[in-house]
Amino acid sequence: MHKAGNPIRPVINNRNDPSYKATKKLNKILQQHLNLDNHHTIINSTTLAQDLTKLNINTKHRLITMDIKDLYVNIPITETTDITKTPMLKHNEPEIATQICKLLETILHKNYFIFQEQIYQPNKGIAMGSPISGTIAEIFLQHLEHIHIRPLLKSKQIWFYTRYIDDILIIYDTESTDQDYLIQHANSMHTNLQFNPTQDENGCIDFLNLTIIRETSHLQIDIYHKPTTIDPTIHSTTIHPNEHKLAAYRYYRERSTILHIAQQNGFHLQQCKN
């Protein structure tokens, strides 16, 4: 609800779907039989903060973030199935690859749902809430990155590129390219995808829960909180298991890069964990 216009999208509970268990099993099979490189993906903001503070930049470098609008509901099912076949055939026996791809196609087309007693089936997109959605999104996006982003990295037009699901961070060289070209290039990658850019302002840009500050030769990291962020958690006096009460603080300890910031300031990690 923090986004302009308060946009909403369908999120489907797949647990009672007849194909739920098969979908969950297929997701594990895909991860075992596909060799996704994950070269440009990050697992969390802590890892990203550690990577960014190791970079050496110069005064020609600028930062830009891009958010893919409504990613899951815009992934083309048939095209993504065809994309999956190539690496599957490359790394597996043809019979196994064919069986997996047929099952994948069947499951991805079971994207219908009921809303207000009417049945809908989108002509594109994967269901948010399905066990396989994250893997399918990665297959599709990594394919696009291989074709459209890798050449820009090789030519040094893009100096640094990383993505967390549908959020992208780019550091580019103003002597080789500019933000207008990068935005146009991103929006031409696929007709289904629209990228919403945010440019750095006064050398600062927010990405995930980090504020990235561009200095002359390096990047500094601070913690960013969305306007909707609130501080209250489960109160210590409530009749909840301690595990539930402390979960929020474990989350903030890891996600808010507190450990990383402490380490940068000379503290031993074990001191902060105790």
Side-chain angles (χ1 to χ4, degrees):
M1 300 297 287
H2 63 280
K3 294 186 178 180
N6 299 329
I8 61 173
R9 68 196 70 173
V11 179
I12 302 169
N13 181 1
N14 279 261
R15 286 189 173 272
N16 295 324
D17 190 283
S19 64
Y20 176 78
K21 291 184 178 180
T23 305
K24 198 171 181 180
K25 179 65 176 178
L26 178 60
N27 188 47
K28 291 181 180 179
I29 292 171
L30 278 176
Q31 292 176 354
Q32 291 169 357
H33 288 79
L34 275 176
N35 290 332
L36 294 175
D37 55 38
N38 298 316
H39 285 162
H40 306 304
T41 58
I42 53 170
I43 56 174
N44 55 45
S45 56
T46 303
T47 303
L48 175 61
Q50 293 169 348
D51 291 341
L52 291 176
T53 53
K54 295 174 185 176
L55 296 177
N56 295 315
I57 65 169
N58 60 50
T59 56
K60 304 295 184 182
H61 288 146
R62 296 292 183 272
L63 295 91
I64 187 170
T65 63
M66 296 188 188
D67 169 56
I68 305 175
K69 182 180 178 181
D70 301 333
L71 169 63
Y72 284 75
V73 296
N74 282 297
I75 291 177
I77 295 175
T78 302
E79 184 179 344
T80 305
T81 305
D82 291 338
I83 290 169
T84 308
K85 288 177 183 176
T86 302
M88 286 296 296
L89 289 168
K90 183 178 178 181
H91 300 290
N92 301 277
E93 293 293 329
E95 186 178 354
I96 294 175
T98 301
Q99 289 175 351
I100 293 173
C101 289
K102 282 193 174 185
L103 181 57
L104 176 63
E105 188 173 7
T106 300
I107 284 177
L108 290 183
H109 279 92
K110 292 188 177 298
N111 59 344
Y112 43 79
F113 61 94
I114 297 175
F115 179 68
Q116 293 184 344
E117 299 183 355
Q118 289 193 31
I119 299 175
Y120 297 86
Q121 184 172 26
N123 56 12
K124 61 179 180 179
I126 52 179
M128 296 179 65
S130 170
I132 207 168
S133 296
T135 302
I136 296 304
E138 275 303 311
I139 293 170
F140 179 60
L141 290 178
Q142 288 192 25
H143 172 75
L144 294 181
E145 287 167 345
H146 181 80
I147 295 173
H148 299 281
I149 300 300
R150 188 168 293 185
L152 297 184
L153 286 165
K154 285 185 177 180
S155 66
K156 303 299 182 183
Q157 290 176 279
I158 291 179
W159 192 73
F160 178 86
Y161 175 97
T162 195
R163 175 176 53 80
Y164 180 78
I165 308 176
D166 58 355
D167 293 315
I168 297 167
L169 171 67
I170 295 173
I171 302 176
Y172 64 96
D173 189 333
T174 54
E175 289 187 334
S176 303
T177 189
D178 58 52
Q179 61 190 23
D180 292 334
Y181 171 77
L182 293 176
I183 295 168
Q184 182 274 330
H185 183 78
N187 282 307
S188 66
M189 285 169 54
H190 197 281
T191 54
N192 282 21
L193 300 185
Q194 180 182 338
F195 292 76
N196 298 323
T198 302
Q199 300 151 21
D200 66 353
E201 190 172 335
N202 298 321
C204 297
I205 200 163
D206 299 321
F207 185 70
L208 303 182
N209 56 351
L210 303 176
T211 294
I212 305 167
I213 306 161
R214 175 170 49 83
E215 302 290 353
T216 304
S217 60
H218 65 281
L219 298 171
Q220 287 191 356
I221 306 298
D222 203 349
I223 298 169
Y224 167 71
H225 296 291
K226 291 181 178 179
T228 52
T229 301
I230 57 175
D231 290 333
T233 61
I234 301 175
H235 199 272
S236 63
T237 58
T238 59
I239 308 175
H240 281 77
N242 283 333
E243 186 71 18
H244 294 180
K245 296 177 187 177
L246 296 174
Y249 299 101
R250 293 194 185 95
Y251 167 84
Y252 283 119
R253 185 182 70 185
E254 299 298 331
R255 289 279 296 176
S256 299
T257 69
I258 290 173
L259 297 183
H260 171 69
I261 294 169
Q263 190 177 31
Q264 290 291 101
N265 288 278
F267 291 94
H268 294 292
L269 294 183
Q270 197 57 42
Q271 289 179 274
C272 304
K273 289 180 178 179
N274 291 337

